[in-house]
Amino acid sequence: LAEKQISDEHYEITLIKEEDAVPVIAGGEGPTSVTLSFYTGSSTPTTLTEWLTKDISNFKLGDGTFASTTVDSADAVTYGWSGLYEGETTAFLHNEQLIAVSVTYMSPSDPIRTAYEIILGSLTLR
């Protein structure tokens, strides 16, 4: 588990399987992970559709489609994307912030995808 204040308006919690957490060469990509990103202030979009237009959403790296879903009681969008790894993000608005839960993986059958689904299913919004 790693926590990082990216900026005044962006905070992240990253979960990495311990045996995958090997040191990375400077400038390289880290291991596959589940990341919870919290955006507040001017970084918070007013709609989920607006979130999809932001580069940080990685939506442009996918096929341009998304599905509507919910996280606890909040409306959400979920979509896949591709970069160094395959990725999936579920994003929702809650208490004046955008929360994006993302997973990166090598294969759809990787155990980290199950962890991602468990995390999403266990979130309780307050």
Side-chain angles (χ1 to χ4, degrees):
L1 175 102
E3 297 179 72
K4 186 174 183 181
Q5 188 76 42
I6 307 297
S7 71
D8 288 344
E9 300 179 339
H10 180 190
Y11 178 79
E12 285 188 351
I13 300 170
T14 303
L15 304 166
I16 299 170
K17 190 174 177 184
E18 188 171 7
E19 54 265 26
D20 293 341
V22 293
V24 182
I25 297 172
E29 294 289 332
T32 59
S33 63
V34 175
T35 303
L36 292 89
S37 299
F38 302 85
Y39 300 90
T40 59
S42 63
S43 294
T44 307
T46 56
T47 67
L48 292 172
T49 304
E50 181 185 343
W51 164 252
L52 296 175
T53 67
K54 293 185 175 279
D55 288 339
I56 196 147
S57 74
N58 284 337
F59 182 70
K60 292 178 184 176
L61 299 177
D63 65 7
T65 63
F66 65 90
S68 296
T69 188
T70 58
V71 173
D72 194 17
S73 59
D75 291 334
V77 292
T78 187
Y79 53 92
W81 46 274
S82 187
L84 177 62
Y85 303 116
E86 296 304 305
E88 183 176 331
T89 298
T90 300
F92 55 96
L93 294 163
H94 181 66
N95 287 346
E96 299 181 18
Q97 63 183 329
L98 182 288
I99 302 167
V101 183
S102 301
V103 62
T104 53
Y105 56 92
M106 300 298 279
S107 167
S109 62
D110 287 353
I112 197 163
R113 292 214 7 94
T114 302
Y116 166 74
E117 292 168 8
I118 290 168
I119 291 166
L120 283 172
S122 68
L123 292 177
T124 301
L125 305 177
R126 298 179 188 192

